[in-house]
């Protein structure tokens, strides 16, 4: 689909043409899923995010500037849907751990002294599990900002624009995430190295 | 630099961000030199970089070529009705019996659409002039279910004797408005029953969708001379807008204000009664003959 064709499809979708919107869904679903999975760390959550993101995009198509890039616009929606979903899950499970560095440290220490030997720790699957746990202990915003910076290679300015944060807030979300990860993974780091 | 670098500085350095971006060679080389001479900063940087090296992305589960289609199948029935001016015009045309071809026609470009709209306006004018003889039954005021409602009765055949297809179209309209009222009632009920001030963002998104639909239905009701339906929809639209424009993390005062508006207008009651009445009319044999019990009294 070239630029002219994309613009025509977008214009039709904005007028409520279901077939045109379907073309956009078919074209962008896989990239939306990739980002959603990175952001949430869960296949099922990523599926939910993709669907919610397209529904949200459809509702907001009237606000979409036709000269803009639909993929970039959708990227932002997916990122924000991911944050919303993580917040909703956090709220549902009353997981107050996200904002507490102390609890993160405690969790990491329990995890590190919980009987896993060096041999087992050496297995990458175990490392990945620990990393996933540490990422899961970040607040939704910290995780989103960190994912965009670390996995997606986005600059602080891009993270700021994507998540609708000020530059300083985006930067400090990344800082807090790195700090929590460093503390949470310290035992693992010392045993691996 | 004699003092130590902060963890945040070292993080920026690791990611080549801010003042330690790749093109800031001076800052980067200063910090790099410092790391060679300061054991504390070097240890901290080692901690940061070795931590982040552990954080490797999980492999993203594969999604096949048909994934986009699967997503579409899952969401297609959940897409809210969304019609622009021309899209709505096309939809009304479809309801008025022009069929699918009409809708496709209205997917043409703007010039064609504008021309077609003008043509239809002229046609409607001529039809009105031709068919409105003194002996013609006047349009029945307050009859959303009459043929051509939206779809002005004056421009169509005898409203006292609707054809089968007209009745079917009328029922579609009645059902749509009644469904809309039912959905709105649920949002209002959610707001009225919210236990404590808190997050109403879900209700706001819901209300936002309903506002647009409410506006369209109100215009349709006015076109059809259904003043009482239009009045209820107007009240509803104002309240929905107030919900949409309230803070998502709503405080007790804002929540109370919305509730007072709903109570003062007896809005929930009106919405329920109007919905019920439209359902009765929808179920009536000719799509309009059910007693119009309370339309005039609820607004």
């Amino acid at each position: 689909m070239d630029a002219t064709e994309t613009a025509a499809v977008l214009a039709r979708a904005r007028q409520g043409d279901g077939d045109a919107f379907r073309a956009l869904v078919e074209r962008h679903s896989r990239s939306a899923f990739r980002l959603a999975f990175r952001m949430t760390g869960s296949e099922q959550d990523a599926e939910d995010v993709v669907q919610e993101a397209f529904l949200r995009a459809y509702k907001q198509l009237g606000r979409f500037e036709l000269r803009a890039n639909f993929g970039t616009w959708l990227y932002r929606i997916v990122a924000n849907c991911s944050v919303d979903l993580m917040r909703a899950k956090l709220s549902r499970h009353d997981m107050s751990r996200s904002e507490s560095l102390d609890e993160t440290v405690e969790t990491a220490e329990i995890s590190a002294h919980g009987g896993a030997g060096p041999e087992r720790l050496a297995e990458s699957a175990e490392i990945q599990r620990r990393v996933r746990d540490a990422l899961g202990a970040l607040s939704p915003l910290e995780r989103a900002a960190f994912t965009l910076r670390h996995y997606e290679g986005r600059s602080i300015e891009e993270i700021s624009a994507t998540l609708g944060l000020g530059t300083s807030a985006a930067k400090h979300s990344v800082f807090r995430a790195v700090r929590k990860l460093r503390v949470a993974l310290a035992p693992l780091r010392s045993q691996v190295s | 630099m004699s003092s130590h670098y902060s963890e945040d500085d070292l993080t920026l350095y690791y990611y080549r961000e801010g003042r330690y971006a790749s093109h800031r060679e001076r800052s980067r080389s200063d910090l790099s030199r410092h790391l060679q001479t300061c054991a504390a900063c070097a240890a901290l940087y080692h901690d940061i970089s070795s931590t982040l090296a552990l954080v490797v992305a999980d492999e993203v589960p594969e999604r096949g070529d048909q994934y986009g289609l699967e997503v579409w199948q899952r969401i297609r029935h959940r897409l809210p009705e969304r019609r622009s001016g021309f899209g709505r015009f096309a939809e009304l045309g479809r309801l008025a019996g022009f069929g699918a071809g009409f809708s496709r026609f209205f997917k043409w470009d703007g010039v064609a659409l504008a021309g077609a709209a003008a043509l239809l306006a002229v046609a409607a004018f001529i039809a009105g002039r031709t068919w409105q003889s003194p002996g013609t039954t006047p349009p029945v005021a307050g009859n959303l279910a009459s043929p051509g409602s939206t779809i002005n009765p004056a421009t169509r055949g005898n409203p006292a004797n609707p054809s089968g297809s007209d009745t079917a179209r009328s029922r579609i309209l009645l059902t749509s408005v009644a469904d809309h009222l039912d959905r709105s009632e649920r949002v209002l009920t959610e707001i009225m029953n919210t236990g404590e001030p808190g997050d109403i963002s879900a209700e706001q998104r819901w209300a936002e969708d309903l506002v647009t639909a409410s506006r369209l239905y109100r215009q349709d009701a006015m076109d059809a001379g259904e003043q009482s339906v239009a009045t209820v929809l107007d009240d509803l639209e104002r309240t929905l807008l107030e919900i949409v424009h309230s803070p998502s993390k709503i405080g007790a005062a804002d929540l109370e204000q919305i509730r007072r508006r709903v109570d003062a207008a007896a809005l929930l009651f009106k919405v329920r009664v109007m919905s019920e009445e439209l359902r009765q009319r929808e179920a009536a044999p000719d799509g309009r003959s059910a007693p119009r019990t309370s339309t005039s009294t609820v607004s």
Side-chain angles (χ1 to χ4, degrees):
Chain A
M1 202 186 288
D2 61 25
T4 311
E5 197 178 348
T6 301
V9 168
L10 277 165
R12 280 167 45 211
R14 273 168 55 122
Q15 289 177 5
D17 183 334
D19 288 340
F21 191 68
R22 170 184 169 164
L24 294 172
V25 171
E26 290 194 29
R27 184 174 183 201
H28 293 277
S29 284
R30 290 170 82 178
S31 58
F33 177 79
R34 268 195 297 278
L35 175 63
F37 181 77
R38 289 259 155 79
M39 298 283 279
T40 62
S42 153
E43 197 167 347
Q44 185 53 53
D45 287 348
E47 290 286 4
D48 291 345
V49 165
V50 170
Q51 291 176 44
E52 176 59 27
F54 278 114
L55 289 170
R56 205 178 282 188
Y58 185 78
K59 290 175 195 168
Q60 296 176 0
L61 261 181
R63 296 182 215 162
F64 174 69
E65 179 60 55
L66 280 178
R67 286 169 298 182
N69 183 303
F70 181 78
T72 306
W73 185 66
L74 183 69
Y75 187 93
R76 290 181 186 179
I77 295 177
V78 172
N80 285 287
C81 281
S82 301
V83 172
D84 288 349
L85 181 134
M86 288 187 284
R87 279 183 175 147
K89 287 183 76 174
L90 203 62
S91 168
R92 274 202 296 276
H93 298 296
D94 194 25
M95 293 155 68
S96 55
R97 63 181 182 171
S98 64
E99 300 298 339
S100 165
L101 181 58
D102 292 342
E103 288 185 27
T104 305
V105 175
E106 195 179 321
T107 304
E109 285 173 348
I110 291 168
S111 176
H113 301 296
E119 301 84 8
R120 191 169 172 216
L121 285 174
E123 295 172 11
S124 69
E126 178 63 8
I127 294 172
Q128 287 293 75
R129 188 185 67 77
R130 296 284 182 86
V131 169
R132 272 199 296 274
D133 288 348
L135 286 170
L138 302 177
S139 77
L141 208 52
E142 289 161 1
R143 179 170 182 146
F146 179 78
T147 300
L148 292 173
R149 174 58 264 185
H150 191 75
Y151 293 143
E152 296 283 305
R154 302 284 167 167
S155 69
I156 295 293
E157 285 74 19
E158 288 170 326
I159 296 168
S160 161
T162 299
L163 298 177
L165 300 171
T167 308
S168 177
K171 190 159 60 178
H172 282 93
S173 293
V174 174
F175 289 159
R176 281 196 304 275
V178 171
R179 199 172 305 138
K180 286 183 180 180
L181 289 172
R182 193 168 70 80
V183 173
L185 298 177
L188 179 62
R189 196 172 57 236
S190 63
Q191 291 185 52
V192 167
S193 60
Chain B
M1 184 171 175
S2 55
S3 59
H4 298 299
Y5 281 90
S6 70
E7 181 172 355
D8 294 348
D9 275 326
L10 296 173
T11 301
L12 288 176
Y13 178 75
Y14 177 87
Y15 283 127
R16 298 175 175 270
E17 276 282 2
R19 57 185 168 277
Y20 303 108
S22 297
H23 65 279
R24 302 281 185 92
E25 290 173 12
R26 175 80 182 271
S27 302
R28 287 193 64 80
S29 60
D30 284 350
L31 197 153
S32 180
R33 272 199 303 277
H34 180 81
L35 290 180
Q36 289 168 9
T37 57
C38 175
C41 286
L44 181 55
Y45 183 70
H46 179 262
D47 269 6
I48 292 170
S49 56
S50 56
T51 296
L52 294 175
L54 284 173
V55 186
V56 180
D58 276 343
E59 196 171 328
V60 178
E62 192 58 40
R63 289 294 180 269
D65 292 340
Q66 296 299 306
Y67 179 62
L69 187 57
E70 290 168 22
V71 172
W72 170 251
Q73 294 297 347
R74 281 184 222 132
I75 67 168
R76 57 185 296 199
H77 298 298
R78 294 166 58 198
L79 293 176
E81 190 171 337
R82 189 177 154 277
R83 290 174 288 169
S84 62
F86 284 126
R88 179 169 170 261
F89 199 30
E91 179 66 10
L92 293 179
R94 187 183 64 72
L95 287 173
F98 286 91
F102 185 88
S103 296
R104 276 197 297 277
F105 173 77
F106 272 93
K107 287 171 187 169
W108 289 4
D109 62 45
V111 176
L113 289 171
L119 187 66
L120 274 178
V122 170
F125 177 75
I126 293 170
R129 301 271 296 181
T130 306
W131 293 340
Q132 259 189 328
S133 66
T136 304
T137 307
V140 179
N143 189 2
L144 184 66
S146 66
S149 301
T150 347
I151 315 174
N152 188 340
T155 64
R156 305 298 300 265
N158 182 358
N161 185 26
S163 68
S165 61
D166 284 342
T167 304
R169 284 195 297 276
S170 299
R171 287 209 167 96
I172 290 170
L173 284 171
L174 290 172
T175 306
S176 301
V177 177
D179 287 348
H180 171 72
L181 291 171
D182 290 347
R183 284 194 290 272
S184 302
E185 184 195 333
R186 284 198 286 276
V187 174
L188 295 177
T189 306
E190 286 285 327
I191 292 289
M192 297 300 276
N193 294 335
T194 297
E196 292 187 0
D199 188 351
I200 58 162
S201 51
E203 287 81 4
Q204 284 178 311
R205 283 196 294 273
W206 202 356
E208 193 174 5
D209 294 338
L210 290 167
V211 165
T212 310
S214 212
R215 195 170 295 142
L216 294 174
Y217 287 132
R218 177 167 56 79
Q219 285 164 2
D220 290 348
M222 286 172 69
D223 290 346
E226 289 276 359
Q227 191 52 50
S228 52
V229 177
T231 304
V232 171
L233 288 170
D234 186 50
D235 282 350
L236 178 61
E237 192 181 317
R238 289 169 198 274
T239 304
L240 291 172
L241 277 172
E242 191 172 346
I243 293 170
V244 169
H245 293 134
S246 296
S248 298
K249 309 285 184 195
I250 196 165
D254 287 329
L255 193 57
E256 188 53 36
Q257 188 177 336
I258 295 174
R259 286 172 174 166
R260 271 205 300 271
R261 173 189 274 274
V262 173
D263 282 339
L267 192 56
L268 262 173
F269 172 73
K270 287 180 185 175
V271 166
R272 283 174 190 147
V273 170
M274 182 62 70
S275 171
E276 181 60 28
E277 180 185 322
L278 295 179
R279 299 259 182 234
Q280 285 177 15
R281 290 166 63 184
E282 175 198 347
D286 65 356
R288 70 183 182 91
S289 62
R292 303 180 69 242
T293 53
S294 47
T295 310
S296 58
T297 58
V298 293
S299 57

